[in-house]
Amino acid sequence: MDGAERRARILAGQHLTCPAPPPAVCRDLDGVQAQFLSAALHALAIRGGPAEPDSLVKSWTIRGTVHLFDPADLPLFLHRGRDRALRGVDRMEGDEYITLERKRYFAGVILDELAGGPRTREELRAACAARGMTGREGESVFNSWGGLLRHLAETGRIVHTVSREKGFRLCPPFTPMEEGPARLELARRYFTHYGPATVRDAAYFFGRPQREVRAVMDALPLERAQVDGRDCFWLDRGEGDWPEIPDCLFLAGFDQLMLGYRKEDGLFLPAEHLRGIFSLSGIVMAPILLHGRVAGRWRRQGARVELTPFGSWTAEDRRTAERAAQALWHAPAVWSAG
């Protein structure tokens, strides 16, 4: 196997060349990262078509980040024994802003409000303020990086609404999986749809030490091959052929194709372009994949699409990207120097 075949296999496994319905994409990819909902919806759309928001849920899962996923996977993502590395404000305990007793009280207020239907974050804040929450207490309850809302989500009582407005609703009922079977299933999906991948790739994706990843890998019937000097592993899907690598793809911000592999190893993202996609502030910008390699980034600018090329593009490369933008959005492309 060479690098081109590895990329073709991965693009198929990630449904970028083998489309699937959004719930199936979410299942196969271990969720779709969704700090920015518009990016997550674009990631699903390019893999199989528009998502019906009511068919998905949104919560903190892998690496402690927010993902879209199938409600049937609540037992998997919220499995028992998860190592969540939560702060005091994200747990049901007293912290620097609020006592345990008051935190429990406002948890009840929030759950009572959501019993009447979905509420926005600001509606929940107003309800708590009306019941006596001080500004300092709100620093914990509505902490910008989680807070009491995260605790309620992590314990399976609420989920984010899948909408452009930041909101929450009660979580559908479920029974959490045990830790061992859950970790095995997450790894099975990873090596089926992200493979061929290295141990370092999997450790990066799951945010776990390599020794833990290897222990789970040992329980899977993985195939193995060396590609460009690296040991790669995958679960065979019984396929012997893969669609050709597309000339041009407009990936999403925080796309799973970027987050699924150790970013320094350069499978799809050449090292010289790393900071063009992964900013030092933690933002993962939307890449342009040209002939299977990141060669620029894009963003919507009103009715237009702004394209920023990395390095030298030929005139044909530019025409290819412009045609792809027109086909995807029916919008003209404009070029930026970055």
Side-chain angles (χ1 to χ4, degrees):
M1 183 190 305
D2 60 17
E5 181 182 334
R6 184 185 172 201
R7 286 192 291 274
R9 284 173 176 257
I10 288 170
L11 292 175
Q14 289 221 1
H15 299 297
L16 286 162
T17 56
C18 291
V25 172
C26 287
R27 288 193 299 271
D28 291 344
L29 299 188
D30 281 335
V32 172
Q33 193 157 324
Q35 274 89 338
F36 299 104
L37 181 60
S38 60
L41 294 177
H42 178 79
L44 292 172
I46 62 175
R47 287 170 165 86
E52 291 292 337
D54 290 344
S55 70
L56 303 171
V57 294
K58 178 181 171 185
S59 195
W60 286 275
T61 62
I62 291 172
R63 301 182 304 278
T65 51
V66 177
H67 285 68
L68 294 184
F69 57 96
D70 189 323
D73 278 336
L74 280 162
L76 174 66
F77 286 116
L78 301 186
H79 64 263
R80 302 186 197 280
R82 291 179 301 130
D83 179 8
R84 292 164 286 177
L86 301 179
R87 307 161 302 160
V89 294
D90 306 323
R91 298 180 183 274
M92 188 54 77
E93 61 185 44
D95 58 56
E96 61 185 300
Y97 302 106
I98 192 171
T99 65
L100 173 58
E101 180 182 15
R102 292 283 283 173
K103 192 178 280 190
R104 285 175 173 159
Y105 173 72
F106 290 117
V109 172
I110 289 168
L111 293 173
D112 286 346
E113 283 292 312
L114 295 180
R119 299 286 187 271
T120 67
R121 182 186 179 93
E122 290 311 309
E123 287 172 337
L124 293 174
R125 184 190 290 272
C128 288
R131 303 288 287 274
M133 183 185 74
T134 67
R136 183 165 179 79
E137 288 174 331
E139 292 294 317
S140 174
V141 176
F142 294 94
N143 187 271
S144 58
W145 294 101
L148 180 57
L149 293 171
R150 179 161 184 180
H151 167 77
L152 294 174
E154 293 276 3
T155 52
R157 284 179 279 182
I158 68 174
V159 292
H160 296 256
T161 55
V162 183
S163 64
R164 300 193 184 279
E165 254 186 341
K166 292 183 178 179
F168 294 86
R169 63 184 178 91
L170 292 179
C171 183
F174 70 97
T175 301
M177 289 177 66
E178 296 300 325
E179 181 178 7
R183 288 196 182 280
L184 187 63
E185 174 60 14
L186 290 168
R188 183 194 68 77
R189 295 182 186 188
Y190 177 83
F191 284 103
T192 300
H193 293 280
Y194 289 78
T198 67
V199 177
R200 293 203 304 182
D201 289 333
Y204 175 80
F205 177 77
F206 288 112
R208 311 293 301 180
Q210 290 185 42
R211 66 179 183 280
E212 291 185 18
V213 171
R214 286 185 181 277
V216 178
M217 290 171 63
D218 288 343
L220 294 170
L222 295 173
E223 304 290 332
R224 177 176 180 170
Q226 230 186 41
V227 185
D228 296 332
R230 295 189 177 100
D231 286 332
C232 295
F233 303 84
W234 71 97
L235 275 168
D236 187 8
R237 299 196 300 272
E239 299 171 352
D241 197 10
W242 298 271
E244 292 184 3
I245 295 174
D247 290 335
C248 185
L249 286 171
F250 290 97
L251 301 179
F254 292 93
D255 199 274
Q256 298 302 107
L257 193 68
M258 296 293 99
L259 298 175
Y261 310 91
R262 187 172 180 270
K263 59 181 180 291
E264 294 86 358
D265 287 346
L267 174 61
F268 292 97
L269 178 59
E272 64 268 25
H273 301 327
L274 193 152
R275 286 295 164 227
I277 298 299
F278 285 84
S279 78
L280 292 174
S281 62
I283 300 298
V284 184
M285 285 168 275
I288 303 171
L289 205 67
L290 194 67
H291 309 301
R293 294 276 192 167
V294 172
R297 64 175 182 257
W298 66 271
R299 63 175 180 167
R300 293 299 301 271
Q301 285 283 84
R304 303 182 301 179
V305 184
E306 182 180 280
L307 311 181
T308 302
F310 301 156
S312 299
W313 284 41
T314 67
E316 182 55 32
D317 289 337
R318 289 178 176 252
R319 285 191 291 269
T320 296
E322 289 168 355
R323 287 193 295 265
Q326 181 66 32
L328 188 58
W329 291 292
H330 306 291
V334 297
W335 293 91
S336 167

